[in-house]
Amino acid sequence: MNTGGRLIAGSHNRNEFVLINADESARIRSVEELSGQSCQICGDEIELSDDGESFVACNECAFPVCRTCYEYERREGNQSCPQCKTRYKRIKGSPRVEGDEEDDGIDDLDFEFDYKSGLGGSEQASDTFSRRNSEFDLASAAHGSQIPLLTYGDEDVEISSDRHALIVSPSPSQVNRYQAHFTDQTPHLRPMVPQKDLAVYGYGSVAWKDRMEEWKRKQTEKFQVVKHDGDSTLGDGDDAEIPMMDEGRQPLSRKVPIKSSMINPYRMLIILRLLILGLFFHYRILHPVKDAYALWLVSVICEIWFAVSWVLDQFPKWYPIERETYLDRLSLRYEKEGKPSQLAGVDVFVSTVDPLKEPPLITANTVLSILAVDYPVDRVACYVSDDGAAMLTFEALSETAEFARKWVPFCKKYSIEPRAPEWYFCHKMDYLKNKVHPAFVRERRAMKRDYEEFKVKINALVATAQKVPEEGWTMQDGTPWPGNNVRDHPGMIQVFLGNNGVLDVENHELPRLVYVSREKRPGFDHHKKAGAMNSLIRVSGVLSNAPYLLNVDCDHYINNSKALREAMCFMMDPQSGKKICYVQFPQRFDGIDKNDRYSNRNVVFFDINMKGLDGLQGPIYVGTGCVFRRQALYGYDAPKKKKTPRMTCNCWPKWCFFCGGGRKNRKAKTADNKKKKNKEASKQIHALENIEEGATNNNNNNVKSPEAAQLKLEKKFGQSPVFIASAGMENGGLASEASPASLLREAIQVISCGYEDKTEWGKEIGWIYGSVTEDILTGFKMHSHGWRSVYCTPKIPAFKGSAPINLSDRLHQVLRWALGSVEIFMSRHCPIWYGYGGGLKGLERLSYINSVVYPWTSIPLLIYCSLPAICLLTGKFIVPEISNYASILFMALFASIAVTGILEMQWGKVGIDDWWRNEQFWVIGGVSSHLFALFQGLLKVLAGVNTNFTVTSKAADDGEFSELYIFKWTSLLVPPTTLLIINVVGVVVGISDAISNGYDSWGPLFGRLFFALWVILHLYPFVKGLLGKQNRMPTIILVWSILLASILTLLWVRVNPFVAKGGPTLEICGLDCL
């Protein structure tokens, strides 16, 4: 699609469609220029092939020639391209001419001899040929000399008249009948000489028979039956015996179960821990602390909640697995030598909003890594969503497209990894490893210089954008930038690279690169990132319509150039790929300190929890680094697995009850009726084919017309007929009759701000609205439709990104995630009560329940972390005097917790440092971010009040990991600091009291001290973050925390003073004080 380097802007609601020039010399031209190429010989429009691409006669220079002129030039002319003089090669669907025997690799028997033209276009002859061709029997070759020879209708003097035919027939009478049928035809075709008769083309020749026998022999040798290894209970038919013919037909991936020596003890320990918990709560409930009943009751309630949270978190990890992919098999199956690649297309989505907060250089590196991915260029399209309509992003993307012409061929020529230039040039690695090309060092230096110049250009654009002109930004030709008003602007589309577009410096095609900024108007709810993603779905469905989608954040670049191939090993697997809705990759990060103080890497979640979910129905969607099946995002149900028929008894009739047939039939019918009711209640979306079939199969009284079916589709997908047509294409692709001009108009329409009104977008289709964590909702809806997902962990991380490494930013990131979970919990999509009767499995539902319930743990966690200080200050404890039985229970509980963690670290391949950092930040985030998110979510859902916790940046020193020491004031820091102070004060008071009261008071003190030190150790990274590089706590944090701690202490003294409630006991000492 070539737009001549122009920006397309418009509004469907306002009937606007404008082409804006990007340079001064160009002028606004008619939209009809985009309708397609014209033949340079006859002037007719060049037709489109079956796959929607323009007909290309010459593969060397792509000189625009229509098929008619191409065939005439081959038949009557010099058989060469008018521009580059290269001899035309035969294209599938065109008749052969002299000299085509040298062209190999085209097997096109339908058009081998051009029967249609030879018959003068007679439909009767075509039907006769197809009918007789279907009746042809290879056994007729035994007639030897009776086989008539093909002559294309022209009689050769060296061939007798009784051996002329166009169709091989088993009987002479039939031959004569068809000879008479073709007698009157006068085709203008070349004669076939006797030396190039059937022996050349194959039929009836000895060489052909020998080749067939050799092929059959090789296939018989290669035939084998491959049986998968693994637990049959974990897969959906993955362990069945599959006939294989060669390496390319074997499975593209396999499951690798955890070793039984690790997983079996792990499962046994979980059951044992459940039993210990039961005994523990039995003891705790039956042994209350009478002199501290309130403390005991609160502690027991908190412990019960922690136990429930542990069950929700633990049991979804019951079936952990790993996976392996076979990229070589993928290539053997879908990339045959000498033939076009059969790999499926992938549309890649990159989302950005504010270029001042999300640096354009980072976005540019992400886009460059996508354009240079190891995948067929005609199968990749990159769509960049600029939700801020910033001219800075547009200009930076234009510079990125120009630099990509140099960077992409350099990466593919020398197999560069990673293919984001910023990280490739800054990483300290041996860049000469496995490089043998003598020009590599020279070209690398030149490329590094070009990239530094590219960075200077981007930095200049950023510096210019710091001060916005009063009249707004203006483009180079003087046209005002359409997005000057961020909240009121038309939709904009710019195709920078792509088909028939700019080539790289080596004259190779580049992947498509499209800039998209959806329309925004006041009064419309645009749904933030989820709305932007849905706009990209529709735009890509109109312009490219690849069957698979990849979405990445603007700061997550492709670190492994074969990432798309890794995902296709699952998606395109013919055995198990049909039921996979998405392939989720783990998130890996650059720029994090080696200690990972605030658990930014989330190693426990990505390497333990996600592997456990992969053994169930698949991992949850985490918002980036995920390859989707487009049909799953459209709300279609997963394909149902065909059940093998059961062995039934045939000795009795079906109505006989002795074999249980009637009872089984009744149960089956009842189950089917329940499933139908559940499907109707959930309002699931059905495919276009099902809707049309349903419309034709209804009763005569309730016949649905095609208009009614179209209206139903419009209510679900919107008013765009082009997009509705693309939504029904399971394997992707575009309508061949669509012109670029009409596609651009449809693309502008589908990103208009009112397109989603009264449709299913955001409810059943695309990214689901209703939460700031739209990723959890979207994955949950797809799993509810019966789909399963896959967790792919290649040896080289597929994606890498940047993470906030200072304390305040990290807490605000966790706050946003927890707020989204609270919103889902308070919505109708809460997994506790939504989606029953669908395709969601039980343990998978537990994982989703845990993902929306965990913010509520902040309240019992905050209370429980305050109990040690209260116990130390009051001299009371939550547990009565411990007996031997209780001591064994407590030790068994702590031992089971420790051993469970050790076994998880073993099969998850997680270090103890990462595990301990995760435990620490669970406490830090729980008493700060989760607590604030809970109250903010309740205010937002119940009262409609939006509360924002602002972050103020302070100065920091330069240097490696300098951002780690940046201090940003936020109210999230107050609760954990208060907890820290009161626990430290409690420890001091408790030790002082023990010293003053003597030896007997040290025994009861150890339990309270252990409890308090447990809290302080978990808050240690928080202390390091407060002290920063200067090892000094900020004054504002210290003041607020001491004030809050004093208020809580005074409140406790007022409610429950140290003295007895009846007042002090006074006794007469017997002394006369007067």
Side-chain angles (χ1 to χ4, degrees):
M1 182 176 299
N2 184 9
T3 61
R6 291 168 291 185
L7 172 68
I8 310 300
S11 172
H12 177 73
N13 297 333
R14 302 187 180 189
N15 197 21
E16 299 174 355
F17 188 70
V18 183
L19 276 72
I20 303 176
N21 295 317
D23 53 6
E24 298 178 357
S25 60
R27 293 286 182 262
I28 297 180
R29 301 179 181 178
S30 174
V31 181
E32 282 73 19
E33 293 182 6
L34 305 177
S35 60
Q37 288 183 329
S38 300
C39 177
Q40 298 298 314
I41 297 178
C42 64
D44 293 340
E45 185 174 352
I46 297 177
E47 64 178 356
L48 299 177
S49 60
D50 295 337
D51 55 1
E53 303 294 338
S54 299
F55 173 77
V56 179
C58 179
N59 293 327
E60 300 295 331
C61 65
F63 184 69
V65 176
C66 65
R67 181 182 285 272
T68 304
C69 295
Y70 158 78
E71 294 180 354
Y72 179 83
E73 183 67 25
R74 279 170 41 86
R75 186 175 66 249
E76 304 292 342
N78 56 9
Q79 302 181 3
S80 61
C81 175
Q83 178 170 284
C84 65
K85 308 303 179 184
T86 303
R87 185 184 183 280
Y88 278 138
K89 293 183 178 180
R90 177 174 173 267
I91 298 177
K92 186 175 182 180
S94 299
R96 288 185 179 272
V97 298
E98 291 181 343
D100 282 346
E101 288 78 8
E102 302 173 0
D103 299 336
D104 297 326
I106 300 179
D107 186 11
D108 190 16
L109 295 180
D110 292 340
F111 297 90
E112 182 81 19
F113 307 119
D114 194 22
Y115 291 109
K116 270 194 174 181
S117 58
L119 299 175
S122 172
E123 295 181 0
Q124 180 181 358
S126 177
D127 295 339
T128 304
F129 169 71
S130 61
R131 183 170 61 253
R132 292 302 308 146
N133 191 36
S134 64
E135 296 173 359
F136 174 72
D137 187 6
L138 291 179
S140 63
H143 291 281
S145 61
Q146 298 298 326
I147 298 178
L149 301 180
L150 300 175
T151 62
Y152 274 69
D154 288 346
E155 187 171 345
D156 196 283
V157 294
E158 299 180 13
I159 303 177
S160 60
S161 59
D162 61 339
R163 298 182 63 198
H164 288 292
L166 288 177
I167 301 170
V168 181
S169 178
S171 62
S173 60
Q174 291 176 339
V175 172
N176 295 333
R177 182 169 70 251
Y178 285 104
Q179 285 177 342
H181 179 78
F182 295 122
T183 303
D184 297 333
Q185 305 298 333
T186 58
H188 300 284
L189 295 171
R190 64 178 179 86
M192 179 180 289
V193 296
Q195 291 80 5
K196 297 179 179 179
D197 55 6
L198 288 178
V200 175
Y201 295 97
Y203 292 113
S205 66
V206 177
W208 172 76
K209 292 181 180 180
D210 294 339
R211 289 198 300 269
M212 287 298 298
E213 293 297 332
E214 181 68 16
W215 179 81
K216 290 180 180 180
R217 183 184 63 81
K218 291 182 178 179
Q219 295 301 315
T220 303
E221 292 177 355
K222 291 180 179 179
F223 185 87
Q224 56 183 340
V225 177
V226 177
K227 189 171 183 179
H228 296 282
D229 297 327
D231 189 358
S232 59
T233 61
L234 302 183
D236 300 327
D238 292 347
D239 299 331
E241 293 185 355
I242 307 171
M244 299 297 165
M245 299 298 291
D246 53 22
E247 181 73 13
R249 298 184 183 180
Q250 294 187 17
L252 304 180
S253 64
R254 76 180 184 99
K255 296 178 182 178
V256 183
I258 305 299
K259 293 181 180 180
S260 59
S261 59
M262 288 189 293
I263 195 62
N264 290 337
Y266 176 70
R267 292 171 179 170
M268 292 172 61
L269 187 62
I270 293 176
I271 302 299
L272 180 62
R273 186 171 170 183
L274 274 178
L275 296 176
I276 295 174
L277 277 175
L279 297 175
F280 172 78
F281 284 118
H282 179 266
Y283 171 80
R284 291 282 282 134
I285 294 174
L286 295 181
H287 295 79
V289 182
K290 297 181 179 179
D291 58 342
Y293 190 83
L295 292 179
W296 168 84
L297 182 60
V298 169
S299 65
V300 170
I301 294 175
C302 293
E303 289 164 359
I304 292 176
W305 180 267
F306 294 151
V308 173
S309 300
W310 172 77
V311 170
L312 294 176
D313 179 70
Q314 188 67 65
F315 278 91
K317 295 182 283 189
W318 188 262
Y319 294 110
I321 62 170
E322 295 179 345
R323 296 182 185 268
E324 287 183 356
T325 56
Y326 302 101
L327 300 180
D328 52 346
R329 295 179 185 176
L330 181 74
S331 298
L332 287 173
R333 182 183 290 269
Y334 296 107
E335 292 182 303
K336 303 294 179 62
E337 187 176 356
K339 296 183 180 180
S341 174
Q342 299 299 318
L343 290 174
V346 181
D347 291 337
V348 186
F349 298 165
V350 181
S351 59
T352 182
V353 180
D354 188 353
L356 299 181
K357 294 182 179 179
E358 300 167 333
L361 186 62
I362 301 298
T363 305
N365 273 269
T366 301
V367 172
L368 289 171
S369 68
I370 295 170
L371 298 178
V373 71
D374 184 9
Y375 208 73
V377 293
D378 59 333
R379 299 289 195 273
V380 179
C382 178
Y383 294 84
V384 180
S385 171
D386 179 17
D387 223 28
M391 189 174 179
L392 172 58
T393 303
F394 177 82
E395 294 291 345
L397 204 61
S398 177
E399 295 290 344
T400 303
E402 182 63 26
F403 178 71
R405 298 180 61 243
K406 304 176 183 178
W407 175 251
V408 173
F410 172 75
C411 291
K412 295 187 175 181
K413 181 178 180 180
Y414 297 110
S415 301
I416 298 301
E417 296 287 349
R419 299 190 176 181
E422 180 69 22
W423 300 106
Y424 171 70
F425 289 119
C426 74
H427 277 180
K428 297 178 181 179
M429 59 182 179
D430 183 12
Y431 64 86
L432 296 177
K433 185 178 181 180
N434 300 328
K435 299 297 186 295
V436 296
H437 201 287
F440 171 69
V441 176
R442 182 178 66 256
E443 293 191 22
R444 184 182 185 276
R445 290 173 180 171
M447 183 56 60
K448 186 175 183 180
R449 182 175 61 253
D450 292 339
Y451 176 66
E452 290 174 350
E453 294 176 356
F454 168 73
K455 289 178 65 175
V456 171
K457 293 180 181 179
I458 298 297
N459 293 335
L461 291 175
V462 174
T464 305
Q466 298 297 323
K467 186 177 181 181
V468 181
E470 295 181 0
E471 65 279 4
W473 298 108
T474 305
M475 302 185 69
Q476 293 180 1
D477 63 343
T479 306
W481 171 248
N484 279 326
N485 189 340
V486 178
R487 299 181 179 179
D488 187 4
H489 64 82
M492 294 176 282
I493 298 177
Q494 169 76 58
V495 182
F496 287 105
L497 302 173
N499 297 341
N500 301 325
V502 181
L503 303 178
D504 62 22
V505 293
E506 297 183 0
N507 293 326
H508 295 152
E509 188 179 352
L510 289 168
R512 181 174 297 179
L513 177 60
V514 184
Y515 169 87
V516 179
S517 181
R518 56 178 174 151
E519 181 185 13
K520 286 189 175 182
R521 303 296 181 188
F524 288 89
D525 189 358
H526 302 290
H527 301 290
K528 299 181 181 179
K529 181 182 177 181
M533 290 293 99
N534 286 337
S535 296
L536 289 185
I537 293 178
R538 297 191 293 270
V539 169
S540 63
V542 171
L543 299 183
S544 55
N545 196 33
Y548 302 106
L549 311 173
L550 164 66
N551 92 288
V552 293
D553 291 339
C554 63
D555 59 345
H556 276 71
Y557 64 90
I558 297 181
N559 182 66
N560 184 352
S561 62
K562 298 185 183 296
L564 296 183
R565 294 178 179 268
E566 295 276 356
M568 292 302 109
C569 285
F570 300 103
M571 289 293 196
M572 300 186 69
D573 193 303
Q575 300 298 326
S576 59
K578 294 295 183 180
K579 294 195 66 175
I580 297 176
C581 57
Y582 61 82
V583 177
Q584 179 65 62
F585 292 88
Q587 293 185 20
R588 307 300 186 204
F589 301 98
D590 288 314
I592 298 178
D593 62 307
K594 62 180 182 180
N595 295 323
D596 193 13
R597 182 183 296 173
Y598 309 121
S599 189
N600 287 280
R601 293 190 179 94
N602 281 332
V603 178
V604 173
F605 173 76
F606 285 111
D607 290 349
I608 295 180
N609 295 68
M610 296 289 270
K611 289 180 181 179
L613 293 176
D614 198 16
L616 303 176
Q617 199 173 347
I620 63 175
Y621 169 44
V622 297
T624 183
C626 187
V627 178
F628 288 95
R629 185 183 298 274
R630 186 183 286 269
Q631 294 294 307
L633 279 172
Y634 285 164
Y636 294 131
D637 289 336
K640 295 182 179 180
K641 180 183 176 182
K642 295 182 179 180
K643 296 183 179 180
T644 56
R646 295 182 178 179
M647 298 298 294
T648 58
C649 178
N650 296 326
C651 58
W652 297 97
K654 293 182 179 179
W655 48 266
C656 181
F657 291 90
F658 291 100
C659 296
R663 184 172 63 255
K664 291 181 179 179
N665 290 335
R666 287 199 305 271
K667 289 183 178 179
K669 290 180 181 179
T670 305
D672 292 339
N673 293 333
K674 288 183 178 180
K675 289 182 179 180
K676 290 180 181 180
K677 291 180 180 179
N678 290 328
K679 288 183 178 180
E680 293 176 357
S682 60
K683 297 181 180 180
Q684 296 174 347
I685 300 172
H686 300 281
L688 176 61
E689 296 82 5
N690 295 336
I691 294 175
E692 293 178 348
E693 290 176 4
T696 58
N697 293 334
N698 283 335
N699 296 330
N700 295 331
N701 297 332
N702 297 321
V703 175
K704 293 183 179 180
S705 63
E707 291 79 6
Q710 181 69 16
L711 181 62
K712 186 175 182 180
L713 289 173
E714 289 179 354
K715 289 181 179 180
K716 295 182 181 297
F717 293 104
Q719 299 293 324
S720 172
V722 176
F723 179 76
I724 291 175
S726 69
M729 300 179 182
E730 182 178 357
N731 297 322
L734 299 174
S736 57
E737 66 274 4
S739 64
S742 62
L743 293 182
L744 285 172
R745 287 187 177 275
E746 291 294 330
I748 289 295
Q749 177 186 356
V750 298
I751 61 174
S752 60
C753 54
Y755 183 83
E756 296 181 354
D757 292 347
K758 299 180 181 180
T759 66
E760 296 293 337
W761 284 102
K763 302 174 185 176
E764 299 289 340
I765 305 175
W767 271 259
I768 306 301
Y769 303 149
S771 172
V772 294
T773 53
E774 69 287 333
D775 44 6
I776 297 178
L777 265 181
T778 304
F780 174 64
K781 291 286 287 188
M782 284 187 279
H783 283 144
S784 298
H785 281 266
W787 296 94
R788 71 153 296 128
S789 55
V790 166
Y791 193 54
C792 181
T793 56
K795 294 181 180 179
I796 302 177
F799 304 92
K800 281 190 175 182
S802 58
I805 63 173
N806 67 75
L807 180 59
S808 300
D809 288 345
R810 174 66 169 146
L811 290 177
H812 273 267
Q813 183 187 56
V814 176
L815 169 67
R816 179 182 174 275
W817 296 342
L819 177 60
S821 297
V822 175
E823 290 175 343
I824 298 174
F825 182 85
M826 303 293 290
S827 70
R828 72 181 186 93
H829 289 114
C830 179
I832 298 177
W833 50 74
Y834 181 84
Y836 287 96
L840 190 64
K841 296 183 179 179
L843 291 180
E844 190 78 14
R845 181 179 296 276
L846 281 184
S847 70
Y848 276 109
I849 293 176
N850 183 49
S851 66
V852 300
V853 167
Y854 76 90
W856 295 85
T857 309
S858 60
I859 295 178
L861 182 62
L862 180 66
I863 296 173
Y864 209 70
C865 290
S866 304
L867 290 179
I870 297 175
C871 292
L872 288 169
L873 292 174
T874 60
K876 300 176 182 179
F877 199 41
I878 59 176
V879 178
E881 185 176 352
I882 299 178
S883 62
N884 293 334
Y885 173 73
S887 301
I888 294 175
L889 277 181
F890 280 104
M891 288 189 293
L893 181 61
F894 290 134
S896 64
I897 294 174
V899 177
T900 303
I902 292 173
L903 292 177
E904 285 183 350
M905 286 186 281
Q906 285 185 347
W907 61 255
K909 301 175 183 177
V910 175
I912 189 172
D913 291 340
D914 293 319
W915 182 84
W916 176 238
R917 289 284 182 266
N918 180 79
E919 293 294 317
Q920 288 178 316
F921 199 79
W922 176 76
V923 176
I924 296 172
V927 299
S928 59
S929 299
H930 298 173
L931 183 66
F932 278 74
L934 182 59
F935 288 107
Q936 184 178 356
L938 292 175
L939 288 174
K940 182 178 180 181
V941 174
L942 300 179
V945 178
N946 289 321
T947 305
N948 294 321
F949 302 99
T950 59
V951 179
T952 306
S953 300
K954 305 297 181 182
D957 298 334
D958 295 332
E960 188 178 10
F961 307 122
S962 59
E963 188 182 351
L964 179 66
Y965 307 107
I966 296 178
F967 170 70
K968 301 179 180 180
W969 158 248
T970 172
S971 52
L972 297 176
L973 302 175
V974 174
T977 307
T978 304
L979 275 180
L980 185 66
I981 292 178
I982 63 174
N983 276 279
V984 172
V985 171
V987 170
V988 173
V989 171
I991 295 176
S992 302
D993 183 67
I995 293 174
S996 62
N997 292 334
Y999 176 79
D1000 294 337
S1001 60
W1002 282 97
L1005 179 64
F1006 283 134
R1008 304 187 189 102
L1009 285 179
F1010 175 80
F1011 201 5
L1013 292 176
W1014 178 86
V1015 176
I1016 295 173
L1017 284 176
H1018 279 77
L1019 294 176
Y1020 175 74
F1022 180 80
V1023 178
K1024 294 284 291 184
L1026 289 181
L1027 298 179
K1029 197 172 183 179
Q1030 295 77 18
N1031 292 325
R1032 183 175 61 86
M1033 182 178 294
T1035 306
I1036 187 172
I1037 295 293
L1038 186 62
V1039 170
W1040 274 99
S1041 300
I1042 293 177
L1043 179 61
L1044 189 56
S1046 302
I1047 294 174
L1048 293 176
T1049 304
L1050 293 175
L1051 182 62
W1052 175 258
V1053 172
R1054 178 67 181 87
V1055 174
N1056 190 7
F1058 295 105
V1059 296
K1061 293 185 177 181
T1065 302
L1066 302 178
E1067 296 181 358
I1068 299 175
C1069 61
L1071 298 176
D1072 190 2
C1073 299
L1074 296 177

